Amino acid sequence: MSKIKFGVFPAKNNGAKRKEMVFAPNPLSLSVPEPAFESWLRDSGYLEILDQRTTDLNRLPAATKPSNSAAAAAASDSAAPSISPDGVFFISQIVSGIWTLLSLFTFSPFSKLATDDFSGETPSWTLAFFGSAESYSFPSSPSQARLRVHENVKRFARNYASLIVLFLACSLYQLPVALLGLISCLALWDAFKFSGDRWGLDKYPVFRQTLIRVAQCVTAVILFISNVQMAIFCALGVSYAVMILHASFRKLTPAKQLDVRGGHKKTARR
């Protein structure tokens, strides 16, 4: 009795002398489409597998291109001088990398950010945030870059917020006039709040609103004269560029692994 594999049926041979057994297609033999499989990985939390899978899929065409170098070299002997296949491949890689970096500025990295992402504990700066040299790689496609940015911004939201404050403090340190203007604005509003509570300005809403408008105008003049907006713009610009580059080059690692490395390992309840 011949053995029949599960999921396929043997086709009729009609008296042919062939010894091989031909199997007819069976509708029970199903395969999962690529978009559905990627959606399942994303919904199940296996983002690191999806990240590595995207890199491997984009490396497949690159591995097959050098195999045609011999035929291209033979054809180049009889044809006019042209760019070698290696040069074309190198130029295409550069153009693809530039396009991937430019695509980082075409979407909002904060679209999936929630307030709960700032309520947890700050991941470790050494092992979780910076990691090692193996924790970084160039994104192979714009879709992979967007996936990394969205996930890493959620994971390292508190780290990026600390970097923004650090860059703002450094920019104000380089501009003492802007630092003095910012302190003056904070002192002005603190004095306004103290005076309002002491004099009972809540009983005079019209007069209170007039004082608020005057304080706003004075604050705008102080910020403009002391050039505080330039310091804030520089701090936000530098911190945004650092965040985008780090989030796009940082590989996605399992969230449980980050918790264990950061010293926040949770034990299951019995």
Side-chain angles (χ1 to χ4, degrees):
M1 183 176 181
S2 60
K3 297 181 180 179
I4 302 176
K5 295 182 179 180
F6 178 77
V8 291
F9 297 102
K12 295 181 179 180
N13 202 353
N14 296 327
K17 296 182 179 180
R18 295 182 304 172
K19 295 182 179 180
E20 301 136 347
M21 182 174 287
V22 180
F23 294 95
N26 182 10
L28 295 178
S29 302
L30 301 178
S31 60
V32 180
E34 295 292 334
F37 182 61
E38 292 182 358
S39 178
W40 178 82
L41 288 175
R42 185 178 291 104
D43 297 337
S44 302
Y46 297 103
L47 296 175
E48 69 282 356
I49 300 178
L50 181 60
D51 185 20
Q52 184 62 34
R53 183 172 179 273
T54 305
T55 304
D56 295 339
L57 289 178
N58 283 274
R59 286 177 179 176
L60 288 178
T64 58
K65 286 181 180 180
S67 61
N68 299 328
S69 59
S76 62
D77 294 338
S78 58
S82 59
I83 302 177
S84 62
D86 295 335
V88 174
F89 175 70
F90 181 72
I91 294 175
S92 63
Q93 289 294 103
I94 294 179
V95 173
S96 177
I98 294 176
W99 173 251
T100 301
L101 293 179
L102 292 178
S103 65
L104 298 176
F105 299 95
T106 60
F107 70 100
S108 175
F110 311 107
S111 58
K112 296 184 179 181
L113 191 63
T115 55
D116 297 337
D117 298 325
F118 295 94
S119 59
E121 298 181 2
T122 304
S124 173
W125 287 92
T126 54
L127 297 177
F129 185 75
F130 291 107
S132 60
E134 298 178 354
S135 303
Y136 298 89
S137 67
F138 194 89
S140 58
S141 62
S143 60
Q144 185 185 32
R146 289 193 293 268
L147 174 66
R148 288 182 176 182
V149 169
H150 283 149
E151 183 62 22
N152 285 327
V153 166
K154 289 178 64 66
R155 290 180 177 181
F156 307 117
R158 294 175 62 88
N159 300 88
Y160 293 138
S162 302
L163 287 179
I164 292 175
V165 175
L166 177 62
F167 287 133
L168 180 59
C170 292
S171 61
L172 291 176
Y173 177 78
Q174 295 293 331
L175 300 174
V177 178
L179 178 60
L180 181 61
L182 184 61
I183 295 176
S184 301
C185 293
L186 295 177
L188 174 63
W189 285 100
D190 191 46
F192 177 79
K193 183 179 182 301
F194 177 77
S195 301
D197 295 338
R198 184 177 181 180
W199 296 339
L201 295 179
D202 295 337
K203 300 178 182 179
Y204 310 97
V206 178
F207 182 66
R208 183 173 181 273
Q209 289 296 328
T210 303
L211 290 180
I212 289 176
R213 297 295 182 268
V214 173
Q216 290 176 348
C217 294
V218 173
T219 302
V221 172
I222 294 176
L223 293 178
F224 180 77
I225 294 176
S226 58
N227 207 12
V228 177
Q229 67 277 6
M230 182 59 65
I232 295 176
F233 177 78
C234 293
L236 293 179
V238 173
S239 59
Y240 182 82
V242 171
M243 180 189 68
I244 287 293
L245 292 177
H246 177 270
S248 59
F249 282 83
R250 185 70 163 83
K251 292 181 180 179
L252 295 179
T253 53
K256 295 181 180 179
Q257 185 177 357
L258 290 178
D259 294 338
V260 172
R261 289 180 176 181
H264 310 307
K265 183 177 180 180
K266 298 179 181 179
T267 57
R269 295 181 181 179
R270 296 182 178 178

